Amino acid sequence: MQLQGKVVAITGAFGALGSAVVRAVLAEGAQVAAIDRASAPHAPLEGAALFGDVDLSSDTGARAAVDAIVARFGRLDALVNIAGGFRWETVADGSLATWNAMFEANLRTAVGACHAALPHLPGDTGRIVNIGANGAMKAGAGMGAYAASKSGVARLTEALAEELKDRGITVNALLPSIIDTAANRKDMPTADFGTWVRPEQLADVIVFLLSAKSSAITGALLPVTGRV
Ligand SMILES: NC(=O)c1ccc[n+]([C@@H]2O[C@H](COP(=O)([O-])OP(=O)(O)OC[C@H]3O[C@@H](n4cnc5c(N)ncnc54)[C@H](OP(=O)(O)O)[C@@H]3O)[C@@H](O)[C@H]2O)c1
């Protein structure tokens, strides 16, 4: 039980990766606050406290959710920012609104949740884990808005890690490739699913980054890409 006694807030918790992370963090003995924009999870998340109908890209959404979590549990030890979205669109045929939408879904949600959580995270043991994207390291055609927003998550991770070094709070990001989700299998039916990284494999790395064993790692951008 690596996370016994901890309270961990997880955003995007009702989604494919988020649900797997909620289960993995619960299994390590933590209390979990599961935050999402949806009203309820698609599959049961037994044992987690559910905070649905939260729009983390709004000015007040993240703060209200964090305040409710602290009121319920009396503390907040860690934040995992998983909320996000994806849009494939070329610049020539696309819309400028897509750039705003990607920045709101991927970067604004993470910044807003960090900003709300920071006053509560304990010095020396506090943890933030963000989800970037390996595909943001060099964007392909149609990936501009998404990759730019996930590059923003990488820069947020670096800046916040430096900012919090003296408080001993670590800030790291995972950079997944294609995750083996139902949505990706539907979108790419002829792909070799066995090469994709599974949500449970990403969750294992997140548990490590939340645990005491990772106390010397901060500001890391960690590719977790399966065999892609
Ligand atoms: N799937 C991949 O192959 C892949 C690869 C690299 C990185 N990632 C990243 O990994 C993370 C999880 O991916 P996933 O496949 O698990 O996605 P997912 O199933 O769509 O889950 C993401 C969740 O975040 C929620 N969300 C989005 N915007 C929000 C907001 N403003 N406030 C609160 N909740 C919000 C979504 O709600 P709605 O359903 O209402 O939008 C959804 O429940 C994302 O950050 C994604 O960019 C995914």
Side-chain angles (χ1 to χ4, degrees), residues 12 15-17 36-37 54-57 82-85 106 109 131-133 146 150 176-179 181 184:
L17 175 59
D36 206 290
R37 183 163 55 186
V54 175
D55 182 359
L56 292 166
S57 65
I82 298 178
N106 291 314
T109 53
I131 304 297
Y146 174 76
K150 286 296 194 183
S177 51
I178 304 172
I179 305 175
T181 65
N184 279 337

Side-chain angles (χ1 to χ4, degrees), residues 184-220:
N184 279 337
R185 285 186 180 217
K186 187 162 169 274
D187 288 346
M188 294 171 267
T190 60
D192 180 357
F193 307 147
T195 64
W196 294 349
V197 62
R198 287 180 286 107
E200 294 74 18
Q201 293 176 305
L202 290 156
D204 283 344
V205 181
I206 291 170
V207 164
F208 168 67
L209 289 174
L210 293 174
S211 76
K213 290 184 175 170
S214 67
S215 60
I217 305 174
T218 194

Side-chain angles (χ1 to χ4, degrees), residues 32-172:
V32 171
I35 306 171
D36 206 290
R37 183 163 55 186
S39 299
H42 310 294
L45 290 176
E46 270 162 40
L50 305 183
F51 294 83
D53 295 311
V54 175
D55 182 359
L56 292 166
S57 65
S58 82
D59 281 342
T60 52
R63 186 157 307 281
V66 167
D67 286 351
I69 290 164
V70 173
R72 169 132 178 201
F73 293 108
R75 58 187 291 147
L76 178 62
D77 296 284
L79 169 69
V80 185
N81 284 310
I82 298 178
F86 177 74
R87 202 84 63 82
W88 189 97
E89 191 175 278
T90 61
V91 176
D93 295 328
S95 143
L96 294 181
T98 298
W99 289 72
N100 285 342
M102 287 293 92
F103 271 74
E104 287 208 350
N106 291 314
L107 184 53
R108 182 70 194 269
T109 53
V111 177
C114 289
H115 194 250
L118 281 178
H120 303 286
L121 294 179
D124 293 332
T125 56
R127 297 279 188 274
I128 295 175
V129 179
N130 296 323
I131 304 297
N134 205 46
M137 302 305 278
K138 184 180 187 313
M143 296 284 283
Y146 174 76
S149 69
K150 286 296 194 183
S151 297
V153 172
R155 301 292 83 78
L156 165 68
T157 302
E158 292 167 343
L160 199 51
E162 289 299 319
E163 188 178 322
L164 297 177
K165 255 183 188 163
D166 289 344
R167 280 177 65 190
I169 297 171
T170 69
V171 188
N172 295 291

